Amino acid sequence: MSDLLTYAYAVVRNAEGLRETTARLRGVADSPVSLVTDTGDDQLGLVVSHVPGQDFQEDALKQHLEDLEWLEAVARAHHGVIEALAERTTVLPLRLATVYLDDNRAREVLEAGRTMFAERLARLSEHVEWGVKIYVEPSAAPAVPAADLTPGRAYLRSRRQQQSVRDTVYQAAQKAAERVEAAGRKHASDRVRHRVQQGLLADAAGAVGENVVNDAYLVPLKRCDDFLADVTHAADGLAGVRVEATGPWAPYSFAMPLDESGGAAAAEGAPP
């Protein structure tokens, strides 16, 4: 077995100058990036580089995925390649750490999925992904001043007020979510719901408040301005609720990863 494995970043629609663009990129493990094409259809390509087998074989990869510093470095390199490609052509991003035994095995998988990849690329053409998160911050909502009460009654009233404020804020967040969904129905082609960010994920993202909605929308390029205009006003008049839109990204959430690999496929790729 070779000491090197083939690391795949994305399936792409071939375009003029794309091979030269990939040749200028550096990917995971600072390896040169190249384009593997389908021998039966040169309009499809698989963007790859070569990585050390000792790091990406299944057992080693499982251990590395526990190393957040290593994982972050791989994710940044992976997404850096995909974002550079997305500036030149339609991209079907693959999962983080999708690897094959060699380029020939990668080409076989590309050719076997030729029809599905072509259909998916056609669907994603002229579209980008926007992430929309909704946060609640009950402490940001106004509370009713306490009256002149005994300490015990003042405490009970304060607790009831806190619960009332929380209930009000969560109802407001639901209203904001409905406004965002309406914008999606009006301007977007598709939506994917992700798990809300909690714990380490929320801390890493520097989130302020509790994340209650974490959605991705597939938006035609020509509708992005209108979509953002509606989304950014979704929390207007709603105290304690914040809406955050991020993007545009390559359509990570709407890509179908390859089912077969010559090695391991692990954690799904997502915008950093």
Side-chain angles (χ1 to χ4, degrees), residues 57-218:
Q57 290 174 1
E58 188 171 2
D59 290 342
L61 187 57
K62 287 180 180 178
Q63 294 182 7
H64 279 311
L65 292 178
E66 302 296 325
D67 182 345
L68 293 182
E69 185 175 343
W70 184 91
L71 186 60
E72 181 181 5
V74 170
R76 288 191 178 280
H78 181 96
H79 296 309
V81 169
I82 290 174
E83 292 302 315
L85 295 170
E87 294 180 0
R88 296 299 303 267
T89 188
T90 305
V91 177
L92 185 65
L94 301 182
R95 290 189 302 175
L96 195 69
T98 296
V99 295
Y100 301 92
L101 294 177
D102 52 34
D103 287 3
N104 286 334
R105 177 57 183 146
R107 182 176 288 106
E108 289 173 1
V109 175
L110 178 64
E111 293 174 352
R114 180 186 304 159
T115 301
M116 182 269 288
F117 295 138
E119 291 174 351
R120 185 57 62 98
L121 285 167
R123 175 174 175 266
L124 298 179
S125 180
E126 299 297 318
H127 285 71
V128 291
E129 175 174 334
W130 286 93
V132 181
K133 296 182 176 69
I134 298 179
Y135 296 90
V136 294
E137 303 173 57
S139 61
V144 179
D148 186 13
L149 302 172
T150 64
R153 290 184 175 180
Y155 172 78
L156 292 175
R157 176 166 180 169
S158 175
R159 294 287 291 177
R160 286 194 296 268
Q161 280 188 359
Q162 289 174 7
Q163 186 60 51
S164 177
V165 167
R166 286 184 64 84
D167 291 345
T168 299
V169 169
Y170 280 100
Q171 290 171 7
Q174 178 61 39
K175 184 175 293 186
E178 291 169 357
R179 292 175 180 175
V180 170
E181 290 173 9
R185 288 192 297 270
K186 185 177 180 181
H187 304 297
S189 300
D190 202 356
R191 178 185 69 172
V192 169
R193 284 189 161 170
H194 295 301
R195 286 178 296 178
V196 296
Q197 292 183 328
Q198 297 175 324
L200 292 176
L201 281 177
D203 293 342
V208 177
E210 179 187 352
N211 181 211
V212 294
V213 170
N214 182 15
D215 290 349
Y217 287 87
L218 184 66

Side-chain angles (χ1 to χ4, degrees), residues 6-14 18 22 25 28 33-38 43-49 77-86 89-100 106-107 109-110 117 121 124 250-252 255-258:
T6 296
Y7 185 110
Y9 299 88
V11 178
V12 297
R13 176 179 289 168
N14 207 348
L18 182 61
T22 59
L25 300 176
V28 173
V33 176
S34 60
L35 185 66
V36 171
T37 54
D38 181 341
Q43 292 306 301
L44 289 179
L46 187 62
V47 178
V48 305
S49 66
H78 181 96
H79 296 309
V81 169
I82 290 174
E83 292 302 315
L85 295 170
T89 188
T90 305
V91 177
L92 185 65
L94 301 182
R95 290 189 302 175
L96 195 69
T98 296
V99 295
Y100 301 92
R107 182 176 288 106
V109 175
L110 178 64
F117 295 138
L121 285 167
L124 298 179
Y252 297 92
M256 181 181 297
L258 302 182

Side-chain angles (χ1 to χ4, degrees), residues 228-257:
L228 289 177
D230 287 350
V231 165
T232 53
H233 290 291
D236 286 1
L238 303 174
V241 178
R242 179 168 56 89
V243 176
E244 176 184 285
T246 58
W249 308 107
Y252 297 92
S253 299
F254 304 90
M256 181 181 297

